[in-house]
Amino acid sequence: MKSVYDSSNPTTLKPANRRIHLRLLRGLALIIASLIAVACGSSAESEEASPYTYDSYFQSFHFDYNPAATVQDLAERSTIVVEATLIDVENGRFFGASEDKPEGVTLNLVFEDDDRTRYYVQIPRPMDSDVMQLRSVLPIGAQSVIYLQPNNDPLEGVWYNTRSDGNEWYFTTPQGWILDHPQRGIIFALLGNEFELPFPGAPTAVNEDLDDWLIVEKKA
């Protein structure tokens, strides 16, 4: 069952008549609540969670976004641009009528750079998934180049498990996670074709060195 991640960023993404930001609050709340919470009827940590694999997890959602035209464009839109290691995945924010009745859940990818600064990056998580099982199929320990914007979504009293330190992020666009996968090489994990170049900017091929995708470094 697919969930839809409909994102918008008022500071970085510019369609014809309004700006868009990678955010989950509005569209994700309605869509996941209706399509997943109601249809699947599972809890945030269901004991009968579906046995997700790496591929089936990323195929369980898709993105609606305004893509960056070049790597430089992506960097200009981003607050953080850094090479970092994926060190963990954990429960992210969730929303619902109350804390014990979640209607939509998210996952935090936890990255750490060479200064040991950590970045908690929120992506969708199906309601029928289990974090411990996802931890076993995602490439913990892999290196990445990440392009990030802060998660400034208003909480509006419906979100739980938020971080008090403000260290919550979105990928600027799905193009903003360049992963050095231990079996697949350098890929764009969040895109439909993870091996296809998402923009015409340098480098000229996906399987260049990971450092080639770090156009400019911006740290917290």
Side-chain angles (χ1 to χ4, degrees):
M1 181 174 299
K2 288 183 180 287
S3 60
V4 177
Y5 182 25
D6 187 2
S7 56
S8 57
N9 186 332
T11 62
T12 59
L13 306 185
K14 302 178 181 178
N17 58 0
R18 63 189 180 94
R19 298 183 176 185
I20 298 177
H21 168 59
L22 269 165
R23 77 173 57 223
L24 293 165
L25 185 59
R26 303 300 192 290
L28 182 64
L30 295 174
I31 295 169
I32 290 185
S34 61
L35 297 183
I36 298 178
V38 174
C40 298
S42 58
S43 67
E45 289 296 333
S46 172
E47 293 181 357
E48 298 178 355
S50 296
Y52 278 86
T53 64
Y54 173 89
D55 289 305
S56 65
Y57 170 65
F58 287 110
Q59 291 166 5
S60 67
F61 52 85
H62 71 271
F63 298 88
D64 180 16
Y65 69 104
N66 185 21
T70 65
V71 186
Q72 288 81 2
D73 179 20
L74 184 64
E76 289 171 3
R77 297 184 188 186
S78 303
T79 302
I80 298 295
V81 181
V82 68
E83 185 171 340
T85 303
L86 179 65
I87 63 169
D88 201 4
V89 297
E90 62 178 34
N91 286 307
R93 295 184 184 190
F94 65 90
F95 62 87
S98 65
E99 190 168 1
D100 60 350
K101 294 181 179 179
E103 297 172 8
V105 294
T106 65
L107 187 74
N108 280 341
L109 301 176
V110 186
F111 293 93
E112 186 175 271
D113 67 18
D114 56 6
D115 294 329
R116 297 192 175 179
T117 300
R118 292 191 177 183
Y119 305 92
Y120 297 81
V121 185
Q122 182 176 304
I123 61 173
R125 175 187 152 211
M127 282 284 288
D128 62 348
S129 63
D130 177 89
V131 167
M132 291 298 293
Q133 201 272 335
L134 292 178
R135 184 179 287 129
S136 72
V137 300
L138 293 177
I140 307 299
Q143 291 292 109
S144 298
V145 170
I146 53 178
Y147 290 77
L148 307 178
Q149 275 287 324
N151 179 354
N152 292 325
D153 283 344
L155 300 180
E156 298 185 357
V158 299
W159 287 98
Y160 302 94
N161 196 39
T162 60
R163 297 186 60 83
S164 60
D165 58 4
N167 190 8
E168 293 179 305
W169 303 85
Y170 287 136
F171 293 111
T172 304
T173 76
Q175 302 156 296
W177 184 19
I178 301 97
L179 168 66
D180 191 357
H181 192 281
Q183 283 81 45
R184 305 178 186 213
I186 296 174
I187 59 173
F188 290 82
L190 299 179
L191 302 183
N193 183 345
E194 61 187 15
F195 298 102
E196 183 178 358
L197 280 172
F199 26 54
T204 57
V206 172
N207 284 315
E208 299 285 344
D209 291 336
L210 187 64
D211 289 344
D212 291 339
W213 293 99
L214 190 62
I215 301 303
V216 60
E217 188 173 68
K218 301 180 185 179
K219 291 192 174 185

